[in-house]
Amino acid sequence: MRDGSKTGKEIDDHDYVIRMNGALIKGHEEDVRNRTSVYVHTAHSTTSRYFFKKYEYTSAPADEGIKYVMIPETMRDYQWLTGLLRRRRVNRQCPFRNSRPWTYYGGQFDERHFYVLHPDFLRYARNRFWKSCNLNANYWATVRPTNGAFAIFTALYTCDIVSAYGFITEDYNNYFFETGKTQVVFYVNHDYNLQKDTCKKLLNY
């Protein structure tokens, strides 16, 4: 999906809208609309407000009744989660030390609407559904699907019909809100080509 796709109404017409990471909406409503039912994230992706500040991104989506789904990626996520649920600053020596996690959710955080994906579910998704040949490399422990892939897998397990927008394309189109040609960086912990090919297979299933 590119900027100018005008698929916003189509997206919002779904029963549920799942977004993840830097879910930038402001200024792009015609393409992505503005409703969010579920926000899938890691502790790291909640800090997108720093990475995307220049695009006027301020916080994770905070719609009334929104469900937050967290992917426990590393120990830092559990440290974030501890601070979040106790309403305390993160006091462990980690990238989020002294952060106040509950302030990253746009003032709508409610632990009754907060969910954490089970590590066994994440391992199953990684080892069976998004199994990368990089799992045989010496850095296998860092290899995992992207948050977007986990979001798709979670949706497939809970919804009758799943539509996907804005994922990587054959020409490696990057974030929809970036104008002009941008450099796409492939990190070793994510197998982007596997995810692209898997999504194509699902689409044709």
Side-chain angles (χ1 to χ4, degrees):
M1 180 177 64
R2 298 182 185 279
D3 193 18
S5 64
K6 294 182 171 54
T7 54
K9 184 181 184 304
E10 182 180 324
I11 291 172
D12 262 16
D13 281 346
H14 286 75
D15 293 333
Y16 297 94
V17 178
I18 302 172
R19 302 187 195 270
M20 68 289 299
N21 301 335
L24 187 70
I25 293 171
K26 186 177 180 180
H28 302 276
E29 291 86 353
E30 188 176 25
D31 297 319
V32 299
R33 238 13 169 227
N34 51 19
R35 185 166 69 90
T36 305
S37 312
V38 180
Y39 177 62
V40 180
H41 66 293
T42 62
H44 176 70
S45 58
T46 57
T47 61
S48 292
R49 69 185 190 183
Y50 298 117
F51 299 117
F52 301 135
K53 183 178 180 180
K54 64 181 179 180
Y55 299 108
E56 298 186 53
Y57 179 88
T58 57
S59 72
D63 299 50
E64 184 177 355
I66 191 172
K67 306 289 192 298
Y68 293 109
V69 177
M70 187 172 187
I71 301 169
E73 182 179 25
T74 63
M75 186 55 67
R76 68 185 180 186
D77 292 283
Y78 292 100
Q79 293 163 347
W80 176 271
L81 187 59
T82 299
L84 179 64
L85 297 179
R86 293 180 178 176
R87 296 296 201 283
R88 297 177 181 174
R89 290 181 181 270
V90 177
N91 59 10
R92 296 297 183 93
Q93 194 63 44
C94 74
F96 308 115
R97 183 175 175 81
N98 290 324
S99 293
R100 296 179 298 162
W102 64 95
T103 66
Y104 287 71
Y105 296 86
Q108 290 293 329
F109 175 74
D110 183 342
E111 59 268 17
R112 294 173 299 178
H113 298 158
F114 193 89
Y115 303 86
V116 180
L117 293 179
H118 196 285
D120 286 344
F121 178 78
L122 300 178
R123 277 191 289 270
Y124 170 63
R126 184 192 71 172
N127 296 334
R128 295 293 183 90
F129 201 73
W130 306 98
K131 189 171 184 179
S132 170
C133 61
N134 293 335
L135 289 171
N136 297 318
N138 58 4
Y139 52 86
W140 66 270
T142 66
V143 176
R144 58 179 287 274
T146 62
N147 292 354
F150 278 132
I152 287 178
F153 192 67
T154 302
L156 288 171
Y157 260 70
T158 54
C159 304
D160 294 325
I161 300 174
V162 177
S163 304
Y165 298 81
F167 284 82
I168 195 168
T169 58
E170 291 288 352
D171 60 353
Y172 303 117
N173 184 35
N174 206 0
Y175 292 111
F176 69 89
F177 51 81
E178 293 180 329
T179 57
K181 187 174 182 179
T182 58
Q183 182 180 13
V184 179
V185 179
F186 280 22
Y187 296 100
V188 295
N189 62 321
H190 297 318
D191 192 334
Y192 295 97
N193 282 318
L194 168 67
Q195 293 184 186
K196 172 176 61 67
D197 293 340
T198 302
C199 285
K200 285 179 62 178
K201 289 179 181 178
L202 289 171
L203 183 63
N204 296 325
Y205 182 69

